[in-house]
Amino acid sequence: MKPTGERFREMALAFGDGRYQAPTPPTTALVLDDVAPDGTPLGGTRADSAPGGRFAAAWLAIAEQDGRGPQVVLRSRLGDPALLAARGITTCVDVPNDTASATVSVAHPATMP
C-alpha cells in the first residue's frame, strides 16, 4: 500500500473507533455587522470580511491572541440565545472602532500576461 493509502487507513480506523475527539469550538464569537442598529440590512459585509477588511483584521487579531480564530455570529442573530448556547458561544465581541482596513490588491490569473 502507498504511504498516502496507509495514512488514510489509519485515519479511518481512528475516526471509526471513537478515538478521535473533535476539538471544542471557541467560546468567543466576533460579531459580523449584517444589519444596522434599526435592523435594516447593511451593504459592504463581504468586503469587510475579505483580507484587508476591518472584520478580517479583527478576526486575525483575536486568533493571534487566543491561538485560534473565534466563531463568527451575525449581528442579526445576537438576539437568539438558543443559537448562541447551541454553538457554545459565551462571549460576543464587536469589531473595535479603531480597527483599520487596508486595500489588498490581488491579481487574477486571467488578467496576468
Side-chain angles (χ1 to χ4, degrees), residues 32-103:
L32 179 59
D33 289 324
D34 64 328
V35 295
D38 65 359
T40 58
L42 286 177
T45 301
R46 188 171 179 181
D48 205 28
S49 302
R54 290 181 64 245
F55 182 84
W59 191 94
L60 289 170
I62 293 172
E64 188 174 76
Q65 173 186 328
D66 294 349
R68 63 181 182 166
Q71 293 193 54
V72 175
V73 66
L74 297 173
R75 182 160 307 280
S76 61
R77 303 299 299 270
L78 284 178
D80 186 348
L83 170 85
L84 300 176
R87 292 177 58 188
I89 297 171
T90 59
T91 306
C92 292
V93 179
D94 286 315
V95 174
N97 290 332
D98 62 349
T99 303
S101 62
T103 302

